[in-house]
Amino acid sequence: MKDILDVTLYGFIVGMLGTGLGGIFSLILGQNKKIFSFLLGLTGGFMMFIITFHLLPESFMLGGTWFTIISIILGVLFVIFVQSSLKYLNKSTTVISGLVLGISIAVHNFPEGLALGSSFFSLREFGFTLSLAMLLHNIPEGLAIAIPLKSKGVSPIKIVLFTALTGIPTGIGSFLGASVGMFSTTLISVCLAFAGGTMLYIIADEIMPEGKRLYSGKLSSLGVVAGFIVGIILYFK
């Protein structure tokens, strides 16, 4: 039980610290689109490495091919469903756009927490690597939430608080992932592949296109390559 509580606490810290740091950085960096573009590419590349070399191979090993493929598809469908469900809230005001994005990010942080909690029971060293990836991944998400709020004059304290709160589902997911991990390797496989599917779709549908939208040059693409190399360095050091 102590292990589950430790992993849950770790999930809350990773989730809330990452998005909260994004909120803080938005107050420091201003609106430098080149930096944001590179950061999005960096986290996208890092997450691609994690999915390719960690989440999916581990899922294949624990649950087999079909459990993994079906879980990836379910993860993708989950994100599409959430996006479609929240579209009707997407009014024209910038503040509401920021709030809607915050809700979306909070929802998709949940399966990330599942993967984090599950990974600590399948391969603890990988759990620490994945948590670092999620921490870095959450910083641009916090930035994305904070920028619309900042442009409309929302107070810095409220911006940081709101961005940090969107990381709470990571802790909840970590608790459930760790609890499941004690009983079934197949369920661990499903959690890992489900999270991999959600991340893969978000990278392709949101992170990389948004990086190019912010700055049409090569910075986001270079960030993707740099993020992938950072993953290799951390894994094979």
Side-chain angles (χ1 to χ4, degrees):
M1 186 65 183
K2 182 178 183 299
D3 286 340
I4 293 178
L5 293 178
D6 288 344
V7 172
T8 302
L9 178 61
Y10 206 69
F12 277 114
I13 292 172
V14 167
M16 298 181 72
L17 181 61
T19 51
L21 282 174
I24 293 171
F25 286 164
S26 73
L27 306 176
I28 298 171
L29 296 176
Q31 308 223 8
N32 191 318
K33 292 184 177 181
K34 291 184 179 181
I35 293 177
F36 294 157
S37 176
F38 180 79
L39 285 175
L40 284 170
L42 185 74
T43 56
F46 195 15
M47 293 309 296
M48 284 292 288
F49 174 84
I50 292 298
I51 294 166
T52 305
F53 286 89
H54 286 303
L55 289 181
L56 298 188
E58 187 72 13
S59 179
F60 279 118
M61 184 179 72
L62 293 174
T65 302
W66 288 109
F67 270 114
T68 300
I69 292 174
I70 292 170
S71 300
I72 290 171
I73 294 171
L74 289 175
V76 172
L77 292 176
F78 172 76
V79 178
I80 293 173
F81 172 75
V82 170
Q83 290 176 334
S84 301
S85 299
L86 293 173
K87 267 185 180 178
Y88 75 96
L89 291 174
N90 196 7
K91 308 300 182 182
S92 58
T93 65
T94 307
V95 171
I96 290 181
S97 296
L99 294 176
V100 170
L101 181 60
I103 294 170
S104 302
I105 288 172
V107 171
H108 102 250
N109 279 343
F110 177 74
E112 291 184 358
L114 282 176
L116 183 62
S118 300
S119 67
F120 267 100
F121 279 86
S122 59
L123 188 61
R124 181 168 290 270
E125 184 178 348
F126 166 50
F128 289 109
T129 303
L130 179 61
S131 64
L132 176 59
M134 288 182 178
L135 179 64
L136 294 175
H137 168 61
N138 285 343
I139 292 174
E141 291 182 347
L143 284 167
I145 299 167
I147 289 170
L149 301 178
K150 181 183 176 185
S151 68
K152 286 298 180 180
V154 176
S155 70
I157 293 177
K158 288 182 178 178
I159 288 174
V160 174
L161 179 62
F162 182 68
T163 52
L165 288 176
T166 60
I168 287 178
T170 305
I172 298 172
S174 295
F175 172 76
L176 293 176
S179 300
V180 165
M182 293 187 67
F183 303 109
S184 170
T185 56
T186 301
L187 287 176
I188 294 176
S189 169
V190 169
C191 289
L192 293 174
F194 183 88
T198 64
M199 293 177 195
L200 189 61
Y201 184 82
I202 288 166
I203 291 168
D205 187 60
E206 295 179 10
I207 293 179
M208 291 183 175
E210 181 65 11
K212 285 295 184 184
R213 188 192 68 80
L214 286 173
Y215 180 66
S216 59
K218 299 185 183 300
L219 280 177
S220 65
S221 299
L222 292 172
V224 171
V225 175
F228 203 87
I229 291 173
V230 167
I232 293 172
I233 293 171
L234 289 174
Y235 183 65
F236 294 108
K237 64 181 179 177

